[in-house]
Amino acid sequence: LIQGATDPQELLRVCGGRGLSSNLAGMAIARLARLTTEQRLDPQGLHGDPRLLQLLDTLDGQISQVWNTTLVQVLRALPVLGVPRAGHQVRSVEQEVLWRLRRLPLRQLVHLAEHLAGHRDSPLLPEVLRKLELRWTELEGTRTVVTLMAKVGHLAPTLMERLEDKALELAEQLDVEEIRRMALALALQQRRCVPLLRALSYHLLQKPPELGLPVLTDLLFAYSKLNFQQPQVLHRLALELQPHLGAMTPAQVSRCARSFAALRWLSRPLAEGIAQYCLDNARDMSVTHLCGILVSFARLNFQPSSSEEFFSMLHEQLQGQGQPLEPPVLTDVVWSLCVLQQARPPYLRQVLCPEFHTCLRGDPSPRAQSSWLKLVHINATARLEVPEYQGPFLPAEALGRDGDKDKDKEKATPLQRGLWEALPGALGGRDLGRYNVHTVFGWDIDAEVVLDSDNKPLPVRDFTAPHLSHSEGTKPLPPGARRWA
């Protein structure tokens, strides 16, 4: 009768006035919560109903006789019915579950962990996670492993390591949806488990084509978030995303472009499709989405085949923007236009004027430092590649970074250190080269030399160096001589 009831009132009528056992009372409470959820009813309508209170009293009176499965179902049902978490009934059920944790089957522990993930203040959660850590070898089935990784992996690092090991064993059995959920769980927890990511990539490539748009976009997000570049997978994602472009929203297209840019992965057909999408949907594209796609193209150094149309539309949208862009966004946009050789004097003037860049100087935050470096790049473009631009420029005293050389040497890669050791011997003297050079253009040079017309090295410090903030030499380069980086 309890299982056959089709609405809460019918269920309460069935149970009212009957001498139910505590186990049947628990089953009735679990069924009541399920019906309330399925029919999207307001549980407030049941508060104070004497039949519900009688069920709760019956359950509480002989709670030790309730079956394990029913007890776990009741624990999940009480919050759905609006029973206060600090109330006597909830605390009584939690205490009974705590006493039984050792005897609960693993499946029930997993259900508990899944439920308690949304109630971190519960005293049960740490104990459930501890039991799962101890019994992880009993885990079976891909769904269980994926669920635990997604729901509670971030709460228990040790358990997450065990789950990653288990997932590696079960990787071959994962279906596409489970691969997607597992990749997302790793990405959202910033866990770059390379063996597992390789296994997921391999088995993903064995799956039949047409993965579906949600799977494609989520996998692309996960790979970019973890900075895991797997060429065959990225090629497949790009190939299968192309037919979906027309049905995607501007936000989805922008996210996909940013993900490929973060991975430094250029699929020309897909990038051309994104550029054409922007032209076809210019009215629906917000400036934010267009800016995201522009920065992505710059990071990939991609020029659309319809370059003139694309940038005309972009300039029109930027100029028609009612609200000014945020300073970091504006810096990114102008930097991208410089990379793609589309910078115009009005844009350069906006970011190189003193009012714009003064607030960035002295700000130690990573975002401000990144914006400042891009401003230095923009300043170099303005000086060297846009002859019609007459200023303003960044002040000369702000462009040198000589004080950071010792710190940079500590961070040098083995290849850089090897170059600094080997080059003096190859040139015939240490004074014939300059090492670890910070230029006023915002680019660092590992080493530079000056060679004469016969390719013989000359003392580099004797000559003027317009790329440095302070030049040691005063001589111009001899005829035929060249500076090499």
Side-chain angles (χ1 to χ4, degrees), residues 181-419:
R181 288 185 64 202
M182 191 172 287
L184 273 180
L186 292 171
L188 294 173
Q189 296 172 44
Q190 287 288 294
R191 293 190 68 91
R192 197 174 184 275
C193 179
V194 173
L196 181 54
L197 288 169
R198 285 178 179 159
L200 295 180
S201 302
Y202 173 78
H203 293 294
L204 179 67
L205 291 170
Q206 312 309 310
K207 305 297 178 189
E210 298 182 15
L211 295 176
L213 185 58
V215 174
L216 293 170
T217 52
D218 284 349
L219 284 174
L220 181 56
F221 163 78
Y223 276 66
S224 65
K225 185 82 171 171
L226 296 170
N227 193 24
F228 185 75
Q229 195 184 77
Q230 214 290 338
Q232 291 91 343
V233 170
L234 294 178
H235 176 72
R236 179 175 180 178
L237 294 179
L239 198 65
E240 294 198 21
L241 271 170
Q242 279 176 253
H244 292 285
L245 275 177
M248 291 167 68
T249 65
Q252 287 176 318
V253 174
S254 178
R255 278 199 300 270
C256 287
R258 291 202 307 270
S259 294
F260 278 114
L263 289 163
R264 296 293 195 273
W265 179 265
L266 174 60
S267 166
R268 288 192 174 276
L270 181 65
E272 289 286 4
I274 291 174
Q276 191 58 48
Y277 178 96
C278 294
L279 289 171
D280 295 341
N281 300 274
R283 290 184 178 179
D284 302 324
M285 300 282 290
S286 70
V287 172
T288 304
H289 295 144
L290 281 174
C291 290
I293 290 170
L294 172 67
V295 173
S296 301
F297 284 176
R299 291 188 183 281
L300 296 170
N301 199 21
F302 170 74
Q303 289 277 5
S305 57
S306 55
S307 185
E308 191 172 333
E309 285 180 76
F310 178 80
F311 286 109
S312 295
M313 178 272 295
L314 184 71
H315 291 311
E316 187 180 326
Q317 293 274 35
L318 289 174
Q319 287 161 10
Q321 166 79 348
Q323 293 288 333
L325 295 174
E326 292 285 324
V329 177
L330 181 59
T331 305
D332 284 349
V333 166
V334 180
W335 176 84
S336 301
L337 291 170
C338 289
V339 171
L340 298 170
Q341 300 176 345
Q342 297 292 330
R344 294 179 176 180
Y347 297 120
L348 299 173
R349 203 169 290 116
Q350 266 186 290
V351 297
L352 294 178
C353 67
E355 296 80 16
F356 184 87
H357 62 74
T358 305
C359 58
L360 290 176
R361 293 182 65 184
D363 186 342
S365 68
R367 191 175 190 186
Q369 293 294 309
S370 173
S371 293
W372 177 255
L373 182 59
K374 285 172 182 165
L375 281 182
V376 178
H377 293 167
I378 294 167
N379 189 67
T381 301
R383 283 194 180 280
L384 303 176
E385 296 181 11
V386 190
E388 65 270 25
Y389 180 71
Q390 300 300 315
F393 297 98
L394 295 182
E397 65 273 11
L399 300 175
R401 293 201 300 130
D402 293 337
D404 298 336
K405 283 192 175 183
D406 292 336
K407 192 179 293 184
D408 289 347
K409 282 183 179 178
E410 293 173 9
K411 296 179 182 177
T413 65
L415 180 60
Q416 287 173 315
R417 286 195 294 268
L419 174 71

